[in-house]
Amino acid sequence: MLRSLALAGVCVMLAGFALSPPVPSLSLSERLAAPGGTSPLVPTARIDALLAHLPHRQGTVAGSDGVALNWVGFEPGDYQLDYRYLGKGPRFPEFSLQASAPTAAAPATAPRGTVVLLHGWMMDGGSLLPWSLELAQQGYRTIALDLRNHGRSGQALSGYGTREGEDVVAAISHLRDQGVVSGPVHLLGVSYGAATAIFAARELGSQVSSVVAMESFDNAGQAIRTMVPHMLSKPPERWSDYVALPIARWQYGGRGLDQAIATTDRKLGLDLDRVDVGQALAQVPSCVLLVHGRDDEHIPVSQGRALAAAAPKARYLEVPSEDHLTLPMRLDRLSPAVNDWFAEATEGRGCPAAPLAMR
């Protein structure tokens, strides 16, 4: 069983800036500027153990400014995927995942296209392994990228989707030259990766057939201003939290949070309040499906609705009873809509109709 991957996007993990009193190991601005490692919620050892038994390709490609980007790819095939969402555990939602190598006797299948998968903040490409295998079973070649500052990729200035989107453009170009990317290209991103997918799709233009963007933020600065108070409102889970949480609430409440964002702006050479995903979405020529959980408190559903309003031609699917952590894990609820979206967009008959609303 793989424990929850907590597929959060612009999520400053509580443990990230409230680790050890009285002074956090990393200030909020440092954590916002770069994640400082992969979340301990990602069971890297278990993912690597499963990958060791599955045929896949892995490599490194240069991003927009030369940063090294790690990628893992799967060919189309029957991986006998057995994925089960197990519901919310004591702390986080859980799922089980089993898969095996396609039988050697099975004939090779020409890819229907390539799906590039983009993970959330403090995650890595391995955190999207269930989606990689699900889409490979649907006949796509899948490429999961580790974004800059994440997983096995190199370090560079974060861009909250802007610079990362440029990396995706460069990576797809290089991988196409190498024959790794072929056929119609689709992007699937989660949270931070969803914003990245939207910025990348704007730059790639007609090179991208369609996009699925799960729980993207609309504006980076606003997302941080809603996410941090939500994280700080959580009850203590460890003895150290009883000291560290009040300090963090005092330090980053009110103007303290604005000051942390301003410091991050200076570190990154970026105005986070001007990282406008909705504006970029309105300029994307390809078909875009926006998906948001109605119970999302990290990136509230109001941001998903704002994105949909900013780009009337985009399709919007709001999923009841799902939050920021559970939504990307619900392959049982979402994979039919995602599979149909990519399939219809691949046929080139215009953008598909919006999936039926979920109950």
Side-chain angles (χ1 to χ4, degrees):
M1 177 189 301
L2 294 180
R3 293 285 178 177
S4 164
L5 301 187
L7 302 173
V10 191
C11 182
V12 181
M13 299 303 296
L14 180 59
F17 59 90
L19 268 174
S20 54
V23 179
S25 59
L26 287 177
S27 70
L28 178 56
S29 63
E30 290 173 320
R31 183 65 71 183
L32 290 172
T38 301
S39 167
L41 296 174
V42 180
T44 303
R46 295 184 182 183
I47 291 171
D48 288 345
L50 185 56
L51 284 174
H53 292 89
L54 296 175
H56 66 280
R57 301 170 70 181
Q58 187 166 356
T60 302
V61 66
S64 61
D65 53 6
V67 61
L69 303 174
N70 181 71
W71 62 271
V72 174
F74 289 93
E75 291 298 303
D78 182 7
Y79 293 87
Q80 302 178 56
L81 177 63
D82 182 5
Y83 176 91
R84 300 180 187 182
Y85 176 71
L86 303 178
K88 295 186 177 182
R91 292 183 61 197
F92 300 105
E94 300 177 352
F95 64 81
S96 65
L97 173 64
Q98 296 179 357
S100 58
T103 59
T109 303
R112 301 169 65 180
T114 303
V115 180
V116 178
L117 298 101
L118 306 168
H119 60 81
W121 183 263
M122 288 190 73
M123 302 293 125
D124 60 18
S127 67
L128 293 178
L129 182 59
W131 279 107
S132 293
L133 294 175
E134 165 64 20
L135 291 165
Q137 289 198 153
Q138 296 298 318
Y140 298 97
R141 178 177 290 156
T142 61
I143 304 293
L145 280 178
D146 288 352
L147 300 177
R148 57 171 61 197
N149 303 314
H150 292 81
R152 294 180 173 89
S153 289
Q155 304 295 305
L157 289 174
S158 297
Y160 280 77
T162 57
R163 291 166 178 147
E164 293 81 358
E166 293 172 354
D167 288 340
V168 173
V169 173
I172 288 176
S173 176
H174 292 315
L175 291 174
R176 190 183 291 279
D177 290 343
Q178 297 170 21
V180 177
V181 170
S182 63
V185 175
H186 308 272
L187 305 179
L188 185 150
V190 173
S191 194
Y192 195 90
T196 296
I198 290 169
F199 281 110
R202 181 183 65 178
E203 301 307 314
L204 287 165
S206 61
Q207 297 180 58
V208 171
S209 292
S210 70
V211 179
V212 172
M214 298 185 187
E215 56 194 22
S216 175
F217 54 87
D218 176 43
N219 176 279
Q222 181 59 28
I224 293 167
R225 289 183 177 87
T226 56
M227 180 276 301
V228 172
H230 169 66
M231 295 298 294
L232 291 177
S233 70
K234 296 291 187 180
E237 295 182 355
R238 300 157 300 179
W239 285 110
S240 60
D241 292 344
Y242 284 92
V243 175
L245 267 174
I247 293 175
R249 289 168 181 158
W250 169 78
Q251 187 172 2
Y252 300 123
R255 294 183 59 187
L257 180 53
D258 288 332
Q259 292 169 355
I261 292 173
T263 301
T264 306
D265 288 346
R266 291 191 292 272
K267 291 177 184 290
L268 299 179
L270 189 71
D271 186 344
L272 291 173
D273 286 320
R274 292 184 179 274
V275 177
D276 190 332
V277 183
Q279 184 181 63
L281 177 61
Q283 300 170 3
V284 173
S286 54
C287 303
V288 180
L289 174 63
L290 303 169
V291 186
H292 217 102
R294 190 170 296 166
D295 295 344
D296 196 333
E297 294 184 280
H298 291 79
I299 307 296
V301 69
S302 59
Q303 293 217 19
R305 293 171 181 171
L307 276 177
K313 69 176 183 179
R315 310 295 193 256
Y316 179 64
L317 178 62
E318 193 169 292
V319 187
S321 305
E322 304 299 345
D323 59 30
H324 204 76
L325 304 185
T326 67
L327 180 74
M329 301 172 68
R330 297 305 304 267
L331 271 71
D332 55 331
R333 299 187 74 181
L334 295 179
S335 59
V338 171
N339 292 332
D340 289 347
W341 181 263
F342 287 152
E344 292 186 35
T346 300
E347 293 174 2
R349 297 181 301 181
C351 295
L356 295 176
M358 293 186 174
R359 297 181 179 178

